[in-house]
Amino acid sequence: MKSHTEYLTLNIPSRMAFQNITPQVEAAVKHSGVKEGLVLVNSMHITASVFINDNERGLHHDFGQWLEKLAPFNADPNVYHHNRTGEDNADAHLKRQIMGREVVVAITNGKLDFGPWEQIFYGEFDGHRAKRVLVKIIGE
């Protein structure tokens, strides 16, 4: 069995955004030489997410508004206890918990085996700094 690891580094200039990382994952799968297997893609930061959904701008806007309603940004330590540590990103931790840490996608005939419209996205909830995403590929 083959194993291949790559790290993507993303630096999102806004506090919250969604970026399609499917092309980078596809390139890693091609580079790995794996024809049949699995790819794990996960955020290596607790204020960012990796998820699968549709590449549609309106949907991404809706995600942002929905998440902001569920866990609005508020640096006040009286609102979020986590912010009593000197951080201001408690909302980002909550948003990441909702959107998820990782995805696993099958590789069939050397390609990501998606359903219709599926793409892999990185969700940033506490941007303005570099963060890493792990791409781990295993198979034959």
Side-chain angles (χ1 to χ4, degrees):
M1 177 172 351
K2 295 179 186 176
S3 175
H4 179 77
T5 303
E6 290 190 22
Y7 297 93
L8 309 178
T9 300
L10 300 155
N11 195 344
I12 305 296
S14 59
R15 184 165 181 86
M16 183 167 55
F18 304 107
Q19 182 171 324
N20 188 334
I21 59 171
T22 306
Q24 294 98 314
V25 176
E26 288 173 331
V29 169
K30 184 176 181 178
H31 186 247
S32 76
V34 169
K35 299 298 181 196
E36 300 291 326
L38 298 170
V39 58
L40 166 75
V41 185
N42 77 271
S43 169
M44 300 180 74
H45 296 271
I46 55 177
T47 58
S49 176
V50 173
F51 62 95
I52 293 177
N53 216 301
D54 191 356
N55 190 20
E56 197 277 311
R57 190 177 337 162
L59 179 62
H60 299 178
H61 175 79
D62 294 343
F63 282 152
Q65 287 197 328
W66 176 66
L67 289 167
E68 200 56 34
K69 286 178 188 172
L70 291 173
F73 171 76
N74 191 324
D76 184 346
N78 294 311
V79 174
Y80 295 116
H81 286 212
H82 173 69
N83 290 347
R84 294 175 187 174
T85 66
E87 299 281 338
D88 70 352
N89 64 357
D91 68 297
H93 291 273
L94 298 171
K95 289 167 179 154
R96 183 277 180 100
Q97 198 65 24
I98 292 166
M99 295 303 285
R101 175 181 186 261
E102 77 242 339
V103 299
V104 175
V105 179
I107 300 167
T108 304
N109 295 323
K111 299 196 182 290
L112 297 174
D113 204 346
F114 283 137
W117 311 112
E118 288 186 330
Q119 298 283 294
I120 303 171
F121 295 91
Y122 172 78
E124 176 61 71
F125 310 116
D126 186 26
H128 307 290
R129 62 188 170 169
K131 294 186 184 173
R132 292 187 312 157
V133 172
L134 169 69
V135 180
K136 174 69 91 173
I137 303 157
I138 57 171
E140 295 297 328

